[in-house]
């Protein structure tokens, strides 16, 4: 009996986290994916500094909307996280198949060719890009952020990303282009659960 009551309490806590429409109180239902997209959200992050945080993000996002582990449900929230979903390649194809790119901007993000590739692919396709700034990151300083983008731009050729851009039929972006993309929709990630939920609500609002 105690086990059953504990499970009921856990289920009720989960229900309380569900996103609901203010007008009706009913749970939010997503529109089916269109335009060849397979994912609603792509979580782009640096493994070294962001892996733990994006794991929490994914779990909390899946708690916001119910029935999220039933692949046959049309309004399931589909989230791409490389450690769970990347079978091959470097992620650019999955960015192309996602509605929104969530950039978890933690230290080192702009020094990794794979994460910069994901960002550039989203930019070339004019995807919605939401930047979630890690509160502990040096990128919180806009001067540091701009300098890091400058350094990344100098490394595009060494990383082979200029070739990727040519393959995509896109020009090499400027520092200003990348800075604008990363600052257009800024959100803050803190380790306070209530504030986490505010950020995550904003991540799914465009859907």
């Amino acid at each position: 009996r105690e086990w059953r009551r504990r499970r009921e309490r856990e289920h009720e806590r989960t229900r309380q986290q569900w996103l609901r429409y203010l007008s009706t109180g009913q749970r939010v239902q997503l529109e089916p994916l269109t335009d060849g997209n397979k994912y609603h959200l792509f979580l782009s992050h640096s493994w070294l500094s962001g892996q733990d945080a994006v794991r929490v993000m994914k779990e909390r996002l899946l708690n916001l909307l119910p029935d999220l582990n039933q692949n046959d449900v049309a309004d399931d929230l589909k989230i791409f996280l490389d450690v769970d979903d990347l079978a091959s390649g470097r992620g650019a194809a999955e960015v192309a198949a996602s509605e929104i790119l969530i950039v978890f901007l933690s230290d080192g993000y702009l020094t990794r060719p794979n994460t910069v590739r994901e960002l550039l692919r989203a930019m070339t396709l004019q995807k919605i890009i939401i930047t979630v700034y890690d509160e502990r990151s040096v990128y919180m300083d806009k001067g540091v952020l701009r300098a890091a983008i400058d350094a990344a731009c100098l490394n595009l050729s060494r990383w082979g990303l200029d070739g990727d851009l040519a393959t995509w039929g896109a020009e090499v972006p400027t520092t200003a282009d990348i800075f604008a993309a990363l600052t257009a929709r800024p959100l803050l990630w803190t380790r306070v659960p209530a504030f986490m939920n505010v950020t995550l609500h904003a991540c799914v609002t465009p859907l």
Side-chain angles (χ1 to χ4, degrees):
R1 291 181 180 178
E2 179 59 30
W3 174 83
R4 182 178 297 174
R5 285 196 294 268
R6 184 165 59 250
R7 186 166 184 175
E8 288 174 352
R9 287 195 297 269
E10 290 174 356
H11 181 64
E12 181 58 29
R13 281 196 296 270
T14 300
R15 285 174 56 86
Q16 291 173 1
Q17 296 178 37
W18 291 354
L19 285 181
R20 299 179 182 277
Y21 295 109
L22 289 175
S23 58
T24 65
Q26 298 297 311
R27 69 176 180 86
V28 170
Q29 293 184 324
L30 299 176
E31 296 293 329
L33 288 163
T34 59
D35 300 325
N37 287 323
K38 298 179 180 178
Y39 305 98
H40 295 98
L41 305 175
F42 183 111
L43 299 181
S44 178
H45 66 288
S46 167
W47 280 19
L48 293 178
S49 60
Q51 195 167 25
D52 291 345
V54 294
R55 171 59 63 191
V56 172
M57 289 179 69
K58 181 173 181 179
E59 291 175 353
R60 284 183 168 268
L61 282 164
L62 293 177
N63 284 334
L64 292 177
L65 294 164
D67 301 321
L68 299 174
N69 294 315
Q70 301 178 22
N71 293 329
D72 58 339
V73 176
D75 62 355
D76 239 4
L77 179 63
K78 306 297 193 303
I79 302 174
F80 180 90
L81 180 60
D82 55 4
V83 294
D84 295 337
D85 305 299
L86 185 62
S88 62
R90 299 177 178 178
E94 287 74 19
V95 171
S98 301
E99 288 193 8
I100 297 175
L101 182 80
I102 304 292
V103 172
F104 185 76
L105 197 57
S106 60
D107 290 351
Y109 181 93
L110 291 164
T111 66
R112 305 288 187 268
N114 285 344
T115 49
V116 175
R117 180 183 293 104
E118 292 161 2
L119 173 62
L120 294 179
R121 189 56 176 141
M123 290 174 61
T124 62
L125 293 170
Q126 298 183 329
K127 298 283 186 177
I128 295 173
I129 298 173
I130 298 175
T131 305
V132 179
Y133 286 78
D134 184 351
E135 64 176 345
R136 302 173 179 174
S137 174
V138 296
Y139 298 137
M140 291 288 290
D141 183 313
K142 293 302 183 290
V144 173
L145 175 60
R146 191 178 291 275
I149 296 172
D150 277 334
C153 287
L154 292 175
N155 281 317
L156 292 182
S157 179
R158 183 168 67 86
W159 291 338
L161 298 184
D162 55 346
D164 287 337
L165 287 162
T167 299
W168 301 332
E171 296 182 356
V172 175
T174 65
T175 294
D177 294 332
I178 298 175
F179 185 85
L182 288 175
T183 56
R185 295 172 179 258
L187 297 171
L188 180 66
W189 184 256
T190 77
R191 272 64 182 177
V192 180
F195 293 143
M196 288 181 187
N197 286 341
V198 172
T199 294
L200 296 175
H201 288 185
C203 286
V204 297
T205 296
L207 298 173

